[in-house]
Amino acid sequence: MQKLPPAPATIAEFARVLRAGGLVVFPTETVYGLGADATSSEAVLAIYETKGRPRFNPLIVHCSGLPMAESLAEFSPLARRLATLWPGPLTLVLPKKLGAPLSDLVTAGLDSVGIRIPAHPLALELIALAGRPLAAPSANPSGRLSPTTVGQVLAGLGAKVPVLDGGPCLAGLESTILKVDGDKVIQLRAGALPRAELESLINRPIPTSQSNGAIVSPGMMASHYAPRAQLRLDVTVPTIGEGYLAFGTAPQTYGGPLRNLSATGDLREAARNLFAMLHDLDAAGVASIAVAPIPHTGLGEAINDRLARAAAPR
Ligand code: TXA
Ligand code: MG
């Protein structure tokens, strides 16, 4: 029987695993990431295999600072302005720099690359110590819910990959993805940074991508982020026995598993709780989960986007 090496105890040891082409799970402010050296095709291939991810879906490259990011992508003045929000829950899809030392598996053969500098001290230290950009999708089996705690990582991936514990993720929702090409910008994915905040920074509206058949952001397939249970959205009166994900006022008594995204109707709190509570209700073994209506303003755009995907037929 093959003996597994001992689990790394320090960040320096996690960094060594990465430099040797291994995988590690690390915390970010959005969700936990399954990271590998983005310059090594062998290492990146292991991400796709571990997640069971379709090969055509490109990965976000995580950097420790702007110099690393600038070695990989071309920054227009508009991109530079948006990059002032780093470190933070924002991914910029930019033209890949000629000769950037990135495995083609990271970009799935596209001539653009998704970059972000995460706002988590452990993530930044890990990337800096590894001295390599890290390709990292969310640390869940492909198509399943993104993990916001170590417990959820272990429930999804098992103990295959060492996990750097950073506690529960603060934002709880994946990064907002913008594609920036010169002076043009579109939002590919709603996320933890509300569109209105981005628009006020650059002082203009940001259109969302319309799916016109072409894969602009392959991860934006209709069915994604799926729990096992069937989801019913915009439900004010749940059926007895199904799970209920409330928002704001919840029923006093309810004959099934109940979670409340935010009793005070706070969208930030709701975003942080979303995946963890869906995980909980799913783990209760119900056949369906009813979800209360969530406002579409601010972070509500991203929350409703994830819910719609989780409810999509598969
Ligand atoms: O918050 C996050 O973004 C988390 C943490 C770990 O950073 N990561 C994450 O990665 O959500 P993932 O792999 O689950 O989603 C990455 C998304 C996918 O929808 C993918 O298609 C898109 O980014 N993407 C990456 N590179 C792209 C590119 N060059 N062009 C278009 N879309 C791209
Ligand atoms: Mg994901």
Side-chain angles (χ1 to χ4, degrees):
M1 205 174 71
Q2 196 197 341
K3 205 158 162 263
L4 289 172
T10 64
I11 298 197
E13 286 168 19
F14 276 89
R16 269 197 288 281
V17 171
L18 288 165
R19 292 177 69 89
L23 299 182
V24 311
V25 172
F26 66 98
T28 82
E29 80 280 34
T30 60
V31 299
Y32 275 81
L34 175 63
D37 178 355
T39 69
S40 157
S41 289
E42 284 292 302
V44 174
L45 196 60
I47 293 180
Y48 284 95
E49 284 164 358
T50 302
K51 274 187 72 98
R53 182 176 181 123
R55 290 293 148 82
F56 51 77
N57 199 352
L59 302 172
I60 294 172
V61 178
H62 298 69
C63 297
S64 53
L66 261 188
M68 187 185 272
E70 284 173 341
S71 71
L72 306 176
E74 301 288 354
F75 284 73
S76 66
L78 177 62
R80 241 169 247 292
R81 178 102 188 105
L82 288 161
T84 59
L85 294 168
W86 284 340
L90 172 68
T91 295
L92 296 178
V93 173
L94 305 170
K96 188 169 113 175
K97 199 161 196 164
L98 211 66
L102 285 174
S103 159
D104 276 338
L105 287 170
V106 172
T107 53
L110 301 172
D111 53 11
S112 60
V113 57
I115 305 237
R116 110 177 173 89
I117 300 178
H120 195 294
L122 293 183
L124 292 173
E125 197 181 336
L126 179 69
I127 304 165
L129 280 175
R132 312 273 167 83
L134 297 187
S138 47
N140 52 283
S142 191
R144 294 283 161 190
L145 292 169
S146 297
T148 59
T149 64
V150 170
Q152 289 159 28
V153 172
L154 296 175
L157 295 180
K160 286 186 274 199
V161 182
V163 183
L164 180 59
D165 191 348
C169 300
L170 276 181
L173 267 186
E174 298 89 345
S175 60
T176 302
I177 305 183
L178 298 183
K179 185 174 167 89
V180 184
D181 207 348
D183 199 34
K184 293 199 299 275
V185 57
I186 54 167
Q187 178 177 277
L188 298 182
R189 177 176 78 182
L193 203 55
R195 188 147 56 102
E197 278 180 39
L198 296 160
E199 291 176 332
S200 76
L201 174 76
I202 58 172
N203 225 334
R204 60 157 125 157
I206 300 176
T208 55
S209 67
Q210 304 296 330
S211 87
N212 53 5
I215 295 182
V216 255
S217 189
M220 306 313 290
M221 292 170 292
S223 167
H224 204 49
Y225 307 105
R228 276 167 232 281
Q230 195 57 52
L231 243 61
R232 300 200 304 124
L233 304 184
D234 294 317
V235 177
T236 42
V237 185
T239 310
I240 301 297
E242 68 184 342
Y244 189 46
L245 189 59
F247 178 78
T249 316
Q252 292 281 355
T253 54
Y254 178 63
L258 168 76
R259 291 284 183 283
N260 195 343
L261 286 170
S262 171
T264 58
D266 175 5
L267 287 168
R268 212 166 256 285
E269 185 185 12
R272 190 157 57 230
N273 285 333
L274 179 67
F275 290 137
M277 290 185 170
L278 280 173
H279 268 284
D280 281 356
L281 292 173
D282 216 20
V286 289
S288 75
I289 299 171
V291 184
I294 317 283
H296 285 260
T297 49
L299 280 173
E301 184 184 12
I303 295 172
N304 280 297
D305 168 82
R306 300 304 185 276
L307 285 169
R309 280 171 216 288
R314 34 196 139 102

